Structures are given as structure tokens and as C-alpha cells.
Amino acid sequence: GPRVAYEKDVPLIFYGENQAEYGNNIAENDQPTMREQFFSGERDLDKIFLGGVCARELIEKHGLTLNDLELYLPLSLQNVRQKQITVHYLGYYLKWDPQECFYYASEHTGFKPNTERTECSYSKYSSIDDKIDMLHYYTTLIKFGIGRATYDAAQEIRNGKITREEGVALVRRYDTEFPRKYFQDCLEYMGITEAEFRETIEQFRSPHLWKKEASGEWGLRAPVE
């Protein structure tokens, strides 16, 4: 967002919720703007790591060019301030209740939900702008034992949209669903086979969270109740 704004001379950007909704310091919700350090800073190729490899090594040992990496490098803080680019969070001005924000967007911008339920969850309007998002939440399930339905249901319980009993039922039904629709697209994008994908993620399946059932399938040791 900030990079496109810089290239197109757009000084004001609005994002949705602050990252504090997902674990960052809750005090960040006290200000309307994103910290400049999130999208600008020192462009030291020895200190910037992409995929665990520093940018300089990607250029010198792996044949990439600086132009190849440009989209992934931070903007110059000097350039950001020169063009007076600021990033605001809509969640500072509107209570961050995803369902209510969906209603607001539908009324004021013509936003339309998806025509089908999002895999691994039950909603049709949240985070539907890319193909790899469902796979991201599935790998979160493998590593931490909580999937997309857990995230969605927990938030809607806190916001008073559903009861805890409803949330538990939704999590049990959808949380461990495998995201098949765009799976092959994701494999192609990552340049790996399905066997390589499954071998890799299984390395991160924590034994204190998962156990093999009699059927041979994996099951959570302590599913939500």
C-alpha cells in the first residue's frame, strides 16, 4: 500500500484493523496511524532477510537483481516524509467488529461477499482477496492447533454475534477442513509438490497438541468444548 501510494503520489492510505488485534502491543490501538517503521527504514541489504536469506546473498549468490527485490525492500523514510505519506487504521475510527464493518462496507462502498463459504471457516466476507490465505490458516492449525474457524468464532463470541456454544459447534465442523480449492495454485506458486508440502508441514505438528486416532487420522488431544 505505502509503496503504491509513493509511486502514485497518494498521501493518505487507510488499512483495516491495527495489528494489535492479533498480538501486537495493545497500546498501538491508541493512535490512528501506522508507525512509519512498518513500511520504511534503512535499506541495508545485509540486514534485510527474505525467506531466511539476506538480500545481498540473494543478489550475489542466487542471481537476483536489486530490481527483482525492490518490491520487498522498505521505502526510504526520507521519501515517505517528503511526500507526507500517512497510513491510518479504519479500526481507530470504527469499532473493529468484522461483521459490522462488512455491513458498513456493503452500504457505503457496494462491497459484496463471496458467493460461497470460505474454506476452513463459515464466513463469506472476511479476507477473500487472495488464494493463499486459506492455506496460511491451515498451517497455523497444524502448528498451533487452532484454525481459521477458531479465529473467526472467537472474535464473534467476543463481539456478541454468536454464543460460545455456537462457536464451539462451528469450530468442530470447519476448523480442520483442508483448503482444496486453490491448493494446486498455491503449490505451483511455491514451486513444490504436494508430497513436499505435506512432509514440510508435518515437521511442525506438535505432539503435545496432536495424536493419531485409531483410524490413522490426526486428532487434537484437547479439542474445544
Side-chain angles (χ1 to χ4, degrees):
R3 176 172 295 279
V4 174
Y6 172 76
E7 293 173 353
K8 304 296 183 181
D9 290 321
V10 178
L12 177 62
I13 310 164
F14 263 88
Y15 272 52
E17 69 275 38
N18 192 302
Q19 291 88 345
E21 293 286 333
Y22 308 105
N24 280 22
N25 191 330
I26 194 65
E28 291 183 16
N29 270 329
D30 295 335
Q31 62 182 35
T33 55
M34 179 185 289
R35 289 183 290 128
E36 292 174 330
Q37 291 89 337
F38 265 61
F39 54 88
S40 63
E42 184 181 4
R43 293 164 63 92
D44 187 335
L45 299 182
D46 293 310
K47 295 181 180 179
I48 297 173
F49 285 76
L50 302 169
V53 182
C54 81
R56 188 174 303 282
E57 183 177 337
L58 289 172
I59 293 172
E60 295 179 354
K61 294 185 179 181
H62 299 282
L64 295 177
T65 67
L66 185 60
N67 191 55
D68 292 329
L69 301 178
E70 184 61 37
L71 280 176
Y72 307 98
L73 300 179
L75 293 170
S76 160
L77 182 58
Q78 179 182 353
N79 290 341
V80 167
R81 291 179 175 174
Q82 179 183 7
K83 293 203 174 184
Q84 298 182 323
I85 296 173
T86 57
V87 180
H88 286 246
Y89 292 109
L90 184 63
Y92 180 85
Y93 304 95
L94 298 176
K95 179 183 177 182
W96 195 254
D97 179 325
Q99 193 171 118
E100 295 302 321
C101 288
F102 161 60
Y103 295 146
Y104 184 91
S106 297
E107 179 181 354
H108 296 283
T109 71
F111 175 83
K112 294 181 180 180
N114 203 347
T115 56
E116 58 188 7
R117 175 183 62 81
T118 298
E119 289 178 308
C120 310
S121 192
Y122 55 89
S123 71
K124 295 182 178 181
Y125 59 82
S126 178
S127 191
I128 57 175
D129 55 349
D130 66 65
K131 294 181 177 181
I132 207 168
D133 212 35
M134 285 72 78
L135 200 61
H136 157 70
Y137 279 101
Y138 184 76
T139 57
T140 300
L141 169 74
I142 299 300
K143 189 173 183 179
F144 299 113
I146 54 175
R148 185 166 189 160
T150 295
Y151 282 96
D152 290 346
Q155 193 166 48
E156 292 204 336
I157 292 169
R158 292 195 301 270
N159 290 335
K161 294 295 185 291
I162 60 176
T163 65
R164 190 181 188 282
E165 290 72 22
E166 290 172 322
V168 169
L170 289 166
V171 168
R172 284 182 169 270
R173 182 169 183 178
Y174 297 120
D175 220 33
T176 57
E177 180 180 27
F178 188 81
R180 288 234 165 253
K181 184 173 183 179
Y182 298 118
F183 183 50
Q184 292 302 319
D185 294 314
C186 293
L187 291 179
E188 183 179 343
Y189 174 73
M190 292 185 287
I192 60 175
T193 65
E194 180 172 349
E196 288 173 320
F197 168 80
R198 294 189 181 279
E199 180 183 356
T200 300
I201 66 170
E202 286 301 322
Q203 297 175 34
F204 298 91
R205 192 187 290 272
S206 300
H208 71 287
L209 297 175
W210 297 93
K211 63 179 180 179
K212 272 285 182 70
E213 306 287 4
S215 64
E217 298 292 324
W218 286 102
L220 286 168
R221 293 185 180 277
V224 63
E225 296 179 353

